[in-house]
Amino acid sequence: MARHGAQLLPDGPPALRAAAADYLTHLRLERGLSANSIDAYARDIAKYVAVLATRGVSDFAAATAEDIRAFAAALEADGLAVRSRARATVAVRRLHRFLLAEGQAADDPGADVAPASGAERLPKALTVAEVEALIDSVSGESPGELRDRAVLEFLYATGARISEAVGLDVDDLDLGQGVARLYGKGSKERLVPVGSLAAAALEAWLVRGRPGFAAKGAGASGERAGAVFLNARGGRLSRQSAWAIVTRAAERAGLASHVTAHSLRHSFATHLLEGGADIRVVQELLGHASVTTTQIYTRVTAESLREVYATAHPRAR
């Protein structure tokens, strides 16, 4: 059975475990974070607790900025990437901020500790032609092929995360209106448009492909039976299987070297901005809590413009 939240924390001083458990409860109940996000916070805090133990610290309230820096140094020594170290350091800083706000600590030792920084990896977007090649690599009429094309069309049409796509239920679709209801991080709900090509692919799957798969899972629970995307046994398609659909399509299209599980989401955002969409609209469609998260895509489009300028302008060298 999977372990979640406070259960991921190692054995340690009671004060540390109690404070960490309070914080994880806060993230779940008040911040509304998903189980996966809470687990990630728990793992980061568990590593922090282990470092504090080596330094003789048995209470978060007694931790100092040097203890947090020692934690960051330990992560670097373990070979973690800059992005992972930054995320873990931010988790610890937020923990201390929470303890200060709750009156469980007299100060915030993380206030003066900056997260790890380095060259930020920009999301890799496919060109429009590459997206078309990826989708067109699936063209058969078998139930599996109808489903796979519908998955690819849906991911690119809506910018959905793969977890949001596999979590989609039939009742979340209104193909007549061309919209879908998605549930993002923290179960936050949003409506996204579904373009005509994606709607046609979904209609083909729902009418000609899904019934055969659904019949094989006739005894499935209502939750499974209501899923839009099913596996061959009639159960809800898993994230891993959806990733495999993208990977297989990329191999057939000759794009395997630069396609990831989120390539269609990145491409969706980049192509909208390149087409003149307002960044606030793209933020809403992606389900980002802050526009600063969406702004990374404006940097991608700026990079593309610079590349075009450098190759096309006679005095750009």
Side-chain angles (χ1 to χ4, degrees):
M1 181 178 292
R3 304 168 72 205
H4 292 289
Q7 295 177 7
L8 289 168
L9 293 171
D11 292 332
L16 286 175
R17 286 188 60 82
D22 285 348
Y23 180 54
L24 296 176
T25 299
H26 161 76
L27 293 178
R28 179 171 60 87
L29 298 180
E30 297 184 34
R31 294 278 305 281
L33 298 191
S34 67
N36 287 338
S37 295
I38 292 171
D39 286 355
Y41 271 90
R43 284 189 288 269
D44 291 334
I45 293 170
K47 293 174 186 176
Y48 181 46
V49 169
V51 170
L52 291 180
T54 66
R55 296 172 66 83
V57 179
S58 58
D59 191 326
F60 288 128
T64 65
E66 285 307 310
D67 292 320
I68 300 176
R69 293 190 183 98
F71 166 64
L75 296 177
E76 185 173 9
D78 286 342
L80 265 68
V82 169
R83 198 169 178 180
S84 297
R85 299 201 312 268
R87 186 207 66 230
T89 305
V90 167
V92 167
R93 291 177 62 193
R94 288 175 177 170
L95 165 67
H96 281 290
R97 193 181 309 156
F98 165 78
L99 296 175
L100 177 64
E102 292 293 305
Q104 297 185 42
D107 57 12
D108 177 6
D112 297 324
V113 180
S117 61
E120 186 173 17
R121 185 172 58 188
L122 297 178
K124 176 65 176 177
L126 304 175
T127 65
V128 173
E130 287 173 332
V131 170
E132 291 176 345
L134 187 74
I135 294 173
D136 289 342
S137 72
V138 184
S139 58
E141 287 293 314
S142 71
E145 288 165 325
L146 291 172
R147 180 203 61 196
D148 291 359
R149 187 176 181 98
V151 167
L152 296 170
E153 288 276 19
F154 183 79
L155 289 172
Y156 179 59
T158 63
R161 302 174 179 92
I162 282 187
S163 58
E164 294 169 344
V166 299
L168 190 72
D169 285 337
V170 174
D171 289 344
D172 295 325
L173 279 178
D174 185 342
L175 296 182
Q177 295 295 320
V179 294
R181 183 188 299 109
L182 299 179
Y183 294 92
K185 294 183 176 180
S187 298
K188 293 180 180 176
E189 178 184 332
R190 68 185 188 279
L191 288 178
V192 295
V194 178
S196 60
L197 294 176
L202 285 163
E203 185 74 23
W205 154 244
L206 291 171
V207 173
R208 304 201 302 274
R210 187 182 182 279
F213 280 6
K216 298 177 182 178
S221 68
E223 186 274 332
R224 291 174 64 201
V228 169
F229 299 116
L230 302 177
N231 59 35
R233 298 181 302 280
R236 186 181 295 273
L237 192 71
S238 68
R239 285 186 298 175
Q240 291 79 5
S241 295
W243 292 337
I245 289 170
V246 177
T247 300
R248 288 196 301 267
E251 290 172 351
R252 287 191 296 268
L255 302 170
S257 63
H258 58 287
V259 170
T260 69
H262 295 296
S263 288
L264 290 173
R265 178 171 165 85
H266 297 326
S267 302
F268 165 86
T270 302
H271 296 166
L272 280 177
L273 289 168
E274 288 177 344
D278 184 270
I279 190 171
R280 296 283 181 180
V281 173
V282 178
Q283 174 198 354
E284 189 71 23
L285 292 172
L286 290 173
H288 286 161
S290 169
V291 74
T292 58
T293 308
T294 316
Q295 283 173 338
I296 191 171
Y297 293 104
T298 65
R299 293 173 55 190
V300 175
T301 56
E303 288 288 339
S304 300
L305 289 173
R306 278 193 287 271
E307 289 176 9
V308 171
Y309 178 85
T311 57
H313 196 285
R315 297 185 68 81
R317 61 185 184 278

